[in-house]
Amino acid sequence: MTSEDLHHSLCKIDGKPYPAYKNIRGSYKFNKFTLSIERVQGDPFASPSRLSIRIDHRSSLIDSSLFSNASRRTGSETYLARSFSAACRHGQTSLGSGKSGRLEIDTPVQEILKRTCVEIGKTETIVRFSVGLPANGRRILGKAAIGLLTETLPEIVSQALVLSKNDKTDINSFADTNEDADHLRSQLEDHRLVAFIADGAILPRASGIDQHPLSNAVPFESPASQRVRLTVPHAGEISGMGISDGITLIVGGGYHGKSTLLNAIERGVYNHIPGDGREQVVARKDATKVRAEDARSVASVDLSPFINNLPGDKDTQNFTTENASGSTSQAASIIETLETGSHALLIDEDISATNFLIRDARMQQLIAPEKEPITPFVQRVRSLYDQYRVSTILVLGGSGDYFEPAHRVIALDNYLPKDLTPQAKALCGDDFSISPSTEETTPFNIGIAKRFADSSSINPYKHAVPYRGSRHGGHRQQRPPRKNIKAQNTRSLIFGTQEIDLSLLSQLVNPSQTRTIGAALAYACENKLFNDQSIIQALETIVALMDEKGLSALDGNDLAEIRIQELMAALNRLRTLKIRKLGIPTEAP
Ligand code: ADP
Ligand code: MG
């Protein structure tokens, strides 16, 4: 069919009741592209209709250098999604009731993520978006739909998807920037680095609710002792601070930029768009922020490396609660992170449980060790690295207890880092306040047991009980179960009858990732992955599937890539989660 056929069909249904829009499903050839109307909404207030556009690289002038490898491709796709989004905002007008006239594409913000909304293929680009088909009440506004689909949309396409000379420069810089960042990250391991922060990077954000760079910020400048130089394909040689493996303390006065630095590192697991300020700030892909999150639930986690002898003889080797405390939640979150295979922890005092981080000499004298269930992190952090190669970057302005186990101490002074390792080590002396006794009485062993879920405890369906249905004919009908999965921004995920609270997962950065979590967990349930695989194996299976077949292997619109750490974190916060058995602990995480 052609665009004239679409024009004709829309004329025919003008003024008819809304469901007549179903007749326009199908594909239409336009001058430069093909438009497909894939799913039509039920009424103007329902979630908008789903459409896609396929445009040949010959028409869009996208040349193969823009997608010659995965990094360049994702960079270019991000650029196209952003420019399509900008053109939609520019082109749309309200055309009637409800969502009539709305044109929307999943919009990338600062992070560059692989997404389903734009896919650059070998010969063509596919763009998936949503449109509110116009109506007045429930009557179809055919003329408005003609304007929207056969005039506005082609304009958006030629503005956003057909590259002008300027566009070519810009899209190329997205591809280059993304390729450089991936290159940087891939060098971390060889240089035994957890993170790299380039000189000149802009770390602070415009505000707590705005991820754009802060204007007039002090650019990052590495201390000479920690400076490394790395080479990338486009920007060439870059100097910056390399944070080596091991234990790194970030100290300094209040408001001197400590948390800002750690936040930039935690976002460094993703790449950033040109102009963000953090284009050359990268962290190991598995670096994970762990924090206190009291009131969360915990399902069968072995907290014994940190917590023992809880009141009421509560089992800490197989710890389950509906309502964790600050310290137990942070201990659980560390063990769960290690279960994902992560080798880098990021911790900020601002959002940690103090009694989990430290217990000073006086308090140790006042409260006998056998009365205190918690072995503070300060006594474990070094063995975590020495025995298990798990590095930690820790922001701590209020206690010197970590000087001893730390490999290096970086102080921030007016936003600029200085290496104060020698000075901090000089202060350690003999009167180091950690009593060795606790370390001896509770030997450190973090063999991480892989957990196997009771698969009925992970239920994406709304009707937990079979529908009784009508009894006509003498037998009960079963209504097919209906999946109930809704992403609510990055705050929470409705999953079956449950709401999973994701609000404190700071490395979940985009609502499209929340949708991916929902789709991935549903996939695992439908394919019964939890029946015979451990939780982590099941999640690894899905991650491998997304890597191999792309995100569209999952069922859902507007998905974006996700790490196994966030998938795991979401599942760990599902309050119905039950563990049916613990596997044999593996040696090192
Ligand atoms: P700390 O954790 O040391 O108390 P923060 O990281 O929270 O400090 O930073 C305090 C304030 O300083 C924040 O408002 C932050 O945006 C701002 N800030 C951080 N780094 C810079 C910088 N390089 N230039 C300008 N302002 C900065
Ligand atoms: Mg802070």
Side-chain angles (χ1 to χ4, degrees), residues 297-311:
S297 62
V298 176
S300 296
V301 173
D302 180 2
L303 300 188
S304 64
F306 299 109
I307 316 235
N308 284 285
N309 312 322
L310 282 180

Side-chain angles (χ1 to χ4, degrees), residues 1-3 6 21-30 33-40 49-55 84 103 124-131 133 149 153 157:
M1 291 185 289
T2 64
S3 57
L6 178 60
Y21 262 134
K22 305 263 182 222
N23 297 331
I24 64 166
R25 273 181 304 200
S27 290
Y28 303 91
K29 239 183 136 24
F30 281 63
F33 60 91
T34 302
L35 171 70
S36 297
I37 300 170
E38 278 152 18
R39 196 185 58 79
V40 170
S49 306
R50 296 291 305 180
L51 280 68
S52 69
I53 279 171
R54 288 168 182 268
I55 180 164
F84 196 86
L103 279 167
E124 61 178 13
T125 298
I126 307 176
V127 178
R128 304 185 175 91
F129 56 102
S130 44
V131 175
L133 294 171
L149 297 179
L153 200 54
V157 171

